[in-house]
Amino acid sequence: MPAIKVGFIGLGSMGRPMAVNLLNAGTTLMVHNRSQQVVRELEDMGAEAATSVEQLASQCDRIFVCLPNEETCEQILMGDDGVFANVRAGTIVTDHSTVSVGLSKKAADHASRAGAKFLDAPISGGPSGATDGTLSIMVGGNEDAFNAALPEFEKMGTNVVRFGDTGAGTAMKLINQLLTCIHTVAAAEAFNLANSAGVDILKATDLLQKSFGGSTMVGRSGPITAARDFENSGAPMRNLIKDIGIIMSMADEMKLSLPTGTAAAEILYEGRDTGLSDHDIAAAIVPIETHSGG
């Protein structure tokens, strides 16, 4: 029986290391990306380069995409030259992007019409988790398709959970991102208080991680904030700005009150409006400092 051929589209700060982990685990892999430099890098490591989405979609048994925003995701998956216009019947297509539940359900409908199967499987763990192969992967979709794709998931993550039918994985990721946005801004607020009170941020971070006030975002943002090392980040603020926008739209549709989410969104949007979108998420402290007179 021939080896399963896996395709991967989107080789950014998350997708590239995920694809590398698939390669390192012996996967027969074809890759495609808008920037060809990274495609050539993976080709040198043993991947097959695809010159188009059409080529990859028509030749692979499993297709994974990891894309930066909803517009790109819709174009790559559902465009005239996209995955579902060219996919073979029976192929399992997995979207690792952070998008709305509505877009995941729309993708599943397109997959069904093409005779393919679709899994929404957003990820958490950042570039370090993608590199280490320790991502959390939150999956929605058909259970048989999930079980079939599980060997590939387990090459990229260590915490792989199917939450239910189509959209359940995306919903879980948005729940995670709501907390990430809130905790990022809360950590920034706490570090602004520490600076103002003359408390060393690195010492505070160490203590907080052993106390009730600790969080993943306190732990990651503390050293970055202490060093003011906000530029050239693998976790830019624009990612949270995108995600909180999706979350707030979802809350509006469901008529939910998200008071701390709303407060976090205000800080993140102010960061966007003052030119911080490409800075690390820890730069959420900057608008807080501005309001504090810092």
Side-chain angles (χ1 to χ4, degrees):
M1 183 176 179
I4 291 172
K5 189 170 187 177
V6 173
F8 204 108
I9 301 172
L11 303 172
S13 61
M14 297 293 288
R16 183 189 185 282
M18 293 167 71
V20 168
N21 283 331
L22 288 171
L23 269 178
N24 289 341
T27 304
T28 301
L29 187 69
M30 176 181 279
V31 296
H32 179 68
N33 192 67
R34 182 174 59 183
S35 168
Q36 288 299 296
Q37 179 179 346
V38 66
V39 172
R40 290 191 294 270
E41 290 173 2
L42 267 73
E43 189 176 22
D44 289 341
M45 297 173 66
E48 182 180 353
T51 58
S52 67
V53 172
E54 178 182 0
Q55 179 189 358
L56 185 147
S58 64
Q59 295 185 23
C60 293
D61 307 293
R62 308 269 193 276
I63 299 172
F64 298 86
V65 305
C66 189
L67 301 166
N69 54 55
E70 289 201 298
E71 293 77 14
T72 304
C73 189
E74 186 162 10
Q75 176 187 356
I76 294 296
L77 288 177
M78 293 171 268
D80 292 340
D81 298 318
V83 170
F84 295 129
N86 297 284
V87 72
R88 298 182 301 192
T91 300
I92 300 172
V93 179
T94 298
D95 183 17
H96 290 300
S97 317
T98 301
V99 298
S100 65
V101 173
L103 187 59
S104 291
K105 291 183 176 181
K106 183 177 179 181
D109 288 342
H110 276 72
S112 180
R113 290 199 293 271
K117 299 177 182 178
F118 177 78
L119 298 171
D120 48 284
I123 51 182
S124 182
S128 61
T131 300
D132 297 341
T134 57
L135 291 171
S136 293
I137 304 178
M138 307 157 234
V139 187
N142 176 270
E143 187 171 8
D144 289 340
F146 168 75
N147 289 332
L150 188 57
E152 282 74 50
F153 289 146
E154 290 180 336
K155 295 173 184 177
M156 299 182 286
T158 55
N159 186 26
V160 183
V161 181
R162 176 180 175 267
F163 283 90
D165 294 332
T166 297
T170 294
M172 184 63 236
K173 177 59 187 291
L174 294 175
I175 292 166
N176 180 79
Q177 291 308 94
L178 173 62
L179 289 168
T180 300
C181 292
I182 292 168
H183 290 171
T184 296
V185 172
E189 187 174 291
F191 292 141
N192 183 55
L193 178 59
N195 279 334
S196 300
V199 174
D200 182 276
I201 287 180
L202 292 178
K203 290 183 178 179
T205 299
D206 182 64
L207 185 283
L208 287 168
Q209 291 301 83
K210 302 167 186 173
S211 308
F212 278 3
S215 70
T216 300
M217 306 320 294
V218 166
R220 79 161 301 280
S221 292
I224 296 170
T225 303
R228 308 295 290 192
D229 186 20
F230 299 138
E231 298 185 13
N232 302 314
S233 171
M237 196 184 296
R238 66 173 179 271
N239 291 349
L240 290 191
I241 292 166
K242 170 184 72 73
D243 294 348
I244 198 66
I246 295 172
I247 292 163
M248 298 313 292
S249 294
M250 182 179 179
D252 287 344
E253 292 171 5
M254 300 175 74
K255 296 182 171 55
L256 298 178
S257 172
L258 301 180
T260 52
T262 300
E266 291 176 357
I267 295 297
L268 294 170
Y269 292 156
E270 187 167 346
R272 173 198 62 197
D273 295 343
T274 54
L276 300 175
S277 293
D278 290 330
H279 286 56
D280 190 87
I281 58 178
I285 194 173
V286 175
I288 294 172
E289 288 172 337
T290 299
H291 286 293
S292 301

